[in-house]
Amino acid sequence: MNPAPLLTASGISPADVAAALGGLDLDQVDIRPAPVWLTRLWGKAISAMTLGSKVYVQSALLDRDPSDLGRVVVHELVHVHQWAQLGVMRFLWRYLRGYVKGRFSGLSHEEAYLSIPIEIEAREVANELQGPMGPV
């Protein structure tokens, strides 16, 4: 599914999101329900994951009011943009390096996840476009 209707239903301008993300073409992004095997790998704390231009969202979230999805969608669109800018290897390297660095410095799993620079950027953009909420 295209992210634009989900953003609009959340009161977020798709044009503003695209502009904030360097002209990201929202028509090239596919939001789809995450397969069960993937959500089992995630655990309960994760609601969505981006792989390239595909965003996998927990089915329960997709079944709710679309206005609830706005912040999650923006957060994941930042990751789509990051994947496009960095490429697969550099994105994965930066993501894993940020996490491992946090763990080796004594942070818990959640603290290490929250300290990954790529995740910080995604939360900041989502906060700017919709307002602060808990971690995505």
Side-chain angles (χ1 to χ4, degrees), residues 92-104:
L92 293 174
W93 171 249
R94 286 187 185 183
Y95 200 97
L96 292 172
R97 182 181 66 190
Y99 178 78
V100 170
K101 182 179 176 183
R103 292 294 283 166
F104 276 115

Side-chain angles (χ1 to χ4, degrees), residues 45-48 61 64 68-76 79 110 113-114 119-128 130-136:
I46 296 178
S47 56
L61 262 177
R64 292 186 359 206
D68 293 340
L69 284 173
R71 186 169 188 284
V72 172
V73 171
V74 173
H75 180 102
E76 297 306 321
H79 289 321
E110 184 176 357
Y113 163 76
L114 293 173
E119 287 295 339
I120 292 170
E121 178 185 6
R123 286 192 307 274
E124 287 174 350
V125 172
N127 289 346
E128 289 172 18
Q130 187 176 17
M133 290 176 70
V136 174

Side-chain angles (χ1 to χ4, degrees), residues 52-120:
S53 63
K54 295 188 179 28
V55 177
Y56 297 93
V57 179
Q58 284 185 357
S59 295
L61 262 177
L62 289 174
D63 292 339
R64 292 186 359 206
D65 183 340
S67 64
D68 293 340
L69 284 173
R71 186 169 188 284
V72 172
V73 171
V74 173
H75 180 102
E76 297 306 321
L77 289 173
V78 174
H79 289 321
V80 170
H81 179 66
Q82 293 164 336
W83 276 85
Q85 282 189 313
L86 298 171
V88 174
M89 296 308 292
R90 284 180 43 210
F91 178 90
L92 293 174
W93 171 249
R94 286 187 185 183
Y95 200 97
L96 292 172
R97 182 181 66 190
Y99 178 78
V100 170
K101 182 179 176 183
R103 292 294 283 166
F104 276 115
S105 70
L107 300 178
S108 70
H109 164 70
E110 184 176 357
E111 292 168 330
Y113 163 76
L114 293 173
S115 72
I116 298 169
I118 284 174
E119 287 295 339
I120 292 170

